[in-house]
Every structure is written in C-alpha cells, then in structure tokens.
Amino acid sequence: MSKLVPPHGGKGLVCCLLEGAQRDAELKKAEGLRKVEITSQEKGDLIMMGIGGFSPLNGFMSKADWKGVCEKLMLSDGTFWPIPVMLTCTDDDAKAIKAGDEVTLERNGLIMATMKVQEKFKLTEDEIKWECEQVYKGQGADSAEDAFWKVAPEDHPGVKMVLARKPFCLAGPVKVLSEGDFPTKFAGIYKRPADLRKMLDEKGWGDVAALQLRNPMHRSHEYLCKIAVEVCDGVVIHSLIGALKPGDIPADVRMKCIGTLVDKYFVKDNVVQAGYPLDMRYAGPREALLHATFRQNYGINRLLVGRDHAGVGDFYGLFEAQEIFDKIPYASREERIANKGKALQCTPLKIDWTFYCFKCDGMASLRTCPHQKEDRVILSGTKLRKMLSDGAEVPDHFGRDEVLTILREYYEGLTEKVQIKMQKFATGEEMK
Amino acid sequence: MSKLVPPHGGKGLVCCLLEGAQRDAELKKAEGLRKVEITSQEKGDLIMMGIGGFSPLNGFMSKADWKGVCEKLMLSDGTFWPIPVMLTCTDDDAKAIKAGDEVTLERNGLIMATMKVQEKFKLTEDEIKWECEQVYKGQGADSAEDAFWKVAPEDHPGVKMVLARKPFCLAGPVKVLSEGDFPTKFAGIYKRPADLRKMLDEKGWGDVAALQLRNPMHRSHEYLCKIAVEVCDGVVIHSLIGALKPGDIPADVRMKCIGTLVDKYFVKDNVVQAGYPLDMRYAGPREALLHATFRQNYGINRLLVGRDHAGVGDFYGLFEAQEIFDKIPYASREERIANKGKALQCTPLKIDWTFYCFKCDGMASLRTCPHQKEDRVILSGTKLRKMLSDGAEVPDHFGRDEVLTILREYYEGLTEKVQIKMQKFATGEEMK
C-alpha cells in the first residue's frame, strides 16, 4: 500500500488528458470547433490539469471559484486553492462563443485541448486590480505603502501577465490532447504525477520533501535538500521546466547542473530529479502555496521553503512565503486531519537564510550560525551572473566547481548582445 | 496556550514531590518508619517520579506492570511504558514489611521518600532472566546467537544491575522528599519538567527536539542539534546528570564543554541546555524509548536518535534504537492520535551515521555523502580518549578547539592510575 500523501481535493488524481483512440476522436472533433489561442501560462496550467498535477481542478475557473480563491484561498466548494487558474479570450471570441459551446484551445497553432464552456464572464478593471492585490501584493519594499501600483505593472511579471489577459474569461472542464514538447524535450525529467508516485512507491517512501527549483543549484540549494534527506525518506529536486522571465537560466542548462551535482554530491538512492511543466508566476507566498498544492498531487508531503520563495524584485518579505502557510484555511494539524479532502496536506519545511560560514566550517543558516557577516560567503544572483559571464573566480564554498564550470560555459556561449538582454530586467516578453 | 506536547499518560504532570509544610510533616513521619536503602538507579527513578519526569508513574511497579512492560511495552492499564521501574529490598526487609505498610526510602543514610507498599513480590531466576532478555537483549554482535548470556552478566552494565538487584520487589506510590544534590550541584542545568515547559512556553515553541547526551559534544552531536534547529522551533541539549559507567566523562566536565560550544557555535535563542537526574541503563533501543517517554513530560516532542543510541559494547545494532519506534504499541500516526493518553507522543528524529567529509566540505551523514571512507573524519571514542590523554593532536574538523581544550585539561588532571581505571571497562561499581 502506498505510504504517500493522497492527491489534493479528496478525489484521487483528476487527469483530463485523453490518450489513444479517445484522443484521436477528440482531435478530429477539435478540428471543427472554434479555436481559441492560449498563452504560455495557460498552456502550462492546461497540461497540469491533463496529468493530474492540478487535482482536483478539471478545467478553468468559474467566477465563483475565482472570487473564492482570490478572497479566501478556497474554491467555491470549500477546497483549498491558492491562485486563480483562468482562461481568457478576445472580444471576437467572446462574441462567437456562448455557454454550452465546445471550443478548441490552441497554442501557436497546435491543438492543446478542447473545452466545454460552462460560463463566460468579464472581470471589471476593479476586479482585476483586486485580484492582483489579493494574489500578488506582498509585504516587501515594492508592495509597501501603496507603492504596489506604481511599480507592479512594469516590474512584476506576474501582475503584468494578469493585466495583459484578454477581456473575457471562459470557464469549464477541459479534455487535454497534448503535453506539448515536455515529454520529448525533457525526457527522463518531465514526469506525470502518477509516474513520480510510482517511483516513490517503489522506493517505499512516505515522507517526501521537494525542492522547488528554477535556478541552477548552488551550495545553499544543496544544503536545503540535504537537510531534507537527513530528516525525510528522501527529496525530489523538482524543477520548473515551463517559461521563466528573461535573465533566468534556461531549463536544459539547469538540468545539466543538477544532474552533475546529484552525481557527485548526493547518495543517489535518496534523491529523485524531476520537472513540471508550469510557468513561473512570481507570486511569492501565494505561489509557494501553489507549489505545495500541486506537489501533493505528485506524492510529496513537504515543500522546502527557503528565503524569498517564488519572489521577484522586492515585492515580498524574505520569509512571507513561509508565514502564509500558518494563515491559510485548515492550517492547523487538527483542521488538516478533520478536513482531509479539502485541506492542503503538503506542509512547508521552512529553512532560514543559508550560506557557507568559515567559523562554522560548513553550511549554516541564520538559525544555526551565531557568527558575523564577514565570516559568511553570501553572493547575490546578479553578482554571481556577472562573475560567471566575466569569467571571474567565484568565491570558495559558494558553488560546486563542476556546476560552476557548466554555468561558465553557458555564459561564455552567449553573445555579448544576448548577455545584455539577459541582464536587463524582465520584460515578460518570453512568457507570453 | 501552550503549544507543547502534553505529558505522557493523559493525566498531566504526575509529581510525587512534597514541598513546604507537607514535606516537613512527611519527613517527621519518615523518621519513624522502617528504612529501606535504595540504589543510585532507584534514586534517579524516584526523583523523576517526584518532579513529574516519569508521568504517569506515581510509584514503583507492581508485578502486573513489570510483566506488561517487559512483554508488551505497556503498563497493566495499556499505557505505553518501555522499561521496568523497580524497587527491591533484602530478605530482612521483606520479612519485616507487609502490604499496607509505609516505609522510608533512604540513599546513603539520607531520606529520599516514603512509600506505601501495595504489593510485595519475588521474581524467580527465570523471570529475571526473561526481563534481561526482553529489555536488554538486542541484535548486535554481543547479543547474537545465544552469545548474550555468555557476555552480558559481565559486560553489560544494565544487565549487571538487574542481576545485582535485591531479592524482593516492593510496589506502591511514593512521596518524594528530596531531589538529592542535583538542584545545587547542577544549578541552572537541572530543571524540573514544569520549569523546562515554562521556559519553552515563554519562547513560544511547540515543535521541540532534544539531544540526549551523556558524552561531551563533538561535531557530530552539534550537527544533529543543528539539523533539529533548522527544522524545529528549537533544540534542548538534555544531558544525563545521574551516574554513568566508569570511563564516561563526568557531568560537570560535559556541562562545561556544552556551555562553551553553545556559546561559540549556536544561536542562543534556538537552544536550551538542561539536565535530568537519571542513571544510564545502557538498554539501547528500550532506553531510547524511555528517553523519548520522559522527554514528552519535559515538553519535548522529538528525540534525536543517532547511531547506537544508549548502546554499550556491541550489544545493539547501530540503528536498532531508531527502528524500535516503528514497532511499539500505537506506533502509527493514526494510532497515536486515536490513543492520545496511552501512546508515546514524542517521536524520533532519526539521523544516520554522521561525520565531517572533505569532499562534501562540511558535516554529512551516510544518507547525504556519496564519498569514500578516506574522505571522512571518523574517530572512535576510545581513540579520541587516547589522543586527548596523550596530548596528541585530534584530526581537524572532528571537534571544536574550545571543547577539545577543556577535555585535554580534564584528562591531564587525572593521575595515571585513575586514567587506567577510567579506560578499563565498566565494572558497574560507580553505579551501585
């Protein structure tokens, strides 16, 4: 019997992906339906609904679900859910589509899914602003004292994407017909929840932690994972392989870094490498909750949450993404037990700011190291990128040599022009 | 409201210690009662019953409790308890004492408690052998294939103490009248469960780990504690301050080592130092369970259990003390919840064999380090003691310099004769 945490929502894995003859028939039908072009984010969300990663969701959200999620982190039936999962369409589409219709969802001309439209609605400007505030506004410098609306529309890639949505929302169940190029491009890394669960079951694990990763792995990430390995049955290094903002390191390079690190510095039995097809939303605390929610579907019951999880710029307090887990519906152990199906069962494994400390003679965190700033090796991502692209030496103990070599090669391979573009702050262009 | 785990047994802290006028009156009465001399182990057990450390026990065990504990790890009422807590007396005492009598318990002529004798019984030789096997026999080399009875009576200090018990057992509730010299000799370290709970409550902790310690603290112990600090609200370094076998380092020296280590290498807010008045029984797995049981009374819900916890010689498998937690009554999370009062609620925080690894560039364990033996700094206690008493250099990264300096001073202070005595294997003499 599986010792893994059950999928979120109490309905098992809800998978909307069709395969074989069913898929062929649906594809044929899809050709004849009205086509709605979707964004990269919607595509990731759709694939997650296909493979059960977004259980218990079986489609894009109704207005009631949208409202409940924004306001109370709950679907309209009371099930915990932290972030709206919306499908939007143009005025033209909206004119042609009515509730009850079936439509085809396409990305760059490729059929991704069909959808039975149950509801068509328009969010007002005020409602959209409210959504942005509810979901993306934090307690960091960029969100403080009404600064949010001065900077977010330009500087927050998540808010930017909400504001760039098309005017109408379509809600209803989907039949997913494609996983895009994830299964081929990330063969061996891209795993459906059922596949990962099978792997974990075969290992006999029950207490499984995940590291959410959208960066190459340095000593700090390694340390988080190793703490998890010490206290859990094992850790899944679970990388985002969907789209990021420009300047972030592409998934294939990250996979190479992680593969090398696991090979040289981990006991292989205790670690699993995998990837999931979502785009980053950079919603900080709310996204940490989303990361925990879909992890539960993958059989993971603890999410490593470190400093500024899923953050961007200065929008969030450094540990806001840890604190939010204590404020959600059904947050206490008792409520989690009493509301098995509705409550989030994947809990955070909270770790403080980590670094190498010379006096500690190893990795440490602000919770364990009593020493001074000058005893510690701390490096910002920006500074590291500059060192790597300049070919400069990275301070000892910050990263593993084998990983830094891969990153150096990557940065050297970029033309100067691309490097400048990469270092410029996100325009969000890549994510549309 | 306290976030700490409730005391074991569902009856709150059961404290048999009298204070003030009640104590004065009982002391007066005690003078006139028959005196029974107790052992060092019985004294420690008695003080624990006095201060609530052995809740829900309020006295020494009846035959039914003894049998249940040996056989099923349960008191006769079904409450989990891992180790017999027995009071024995001589034939002469037994002749003079009958059920219903009150007696005075003395240690070295000092009145420790009074006891209402509810039951007087004699264990047969077979029953005592059975107790030794049930409680002290493990799966290590010294217990394997009937080797147990060849070596244990000489080499196992716990078995030796059972075999040295007096012929009759007395069972019944106690009124404790003294905490011995623990409060003065270990001022600031010796803490009653209620005192420690108050401290932990003031810190707002709810998820509290303890390190059981009977040795000076080296990097490995520090690493265990620091893992706990990373993932719990904080850690209690909880040292045994009762009697040990000869060759172990005395409590005052250990306290000095720990104090120095905490001062230089810990964030003080996240660690508490404390001591408890029991003697070691060296019962390995069963003693690990006892360590967890009384920790629960101190407000601690997780016990760090490393390699060969509470072991001696080769009697136990290296991780037997971890595995036993999965085999006890009410072991599963569901059973623990369903049997709140009766089940052990303090769970193990299991950590594998730990060491410094040059390739890992820090502390690691067999779960996290994939490297070779020669990359690791591993030192046996015996080898370390020899290096320290010879004034030889201890390998880098094994211990903290400040701690090694204290130990070196201690060993240098011992005369050669005493050193030889210390290095000889336990005779158990000190513990009687």
Side-chain angles (χ1 to χ4, degrees), chain A residues 46 92 193 218 249:
Chain A
L46 199 54
D92 277 354
H218 298 301
I249 302 208

Side-chain angles (χ1 to χ4, degrees), chain B residues 41-59:
Chain B
Q41 182 184 96
E42 287 160 354
K43 175 185 155 192
D45 293 349
L46 198 55
I47 297 174
M48 283 297 258
M49 291 189 265
I51 60 181
F54 269 1
S55 305
L57 302 191
N58 69 347

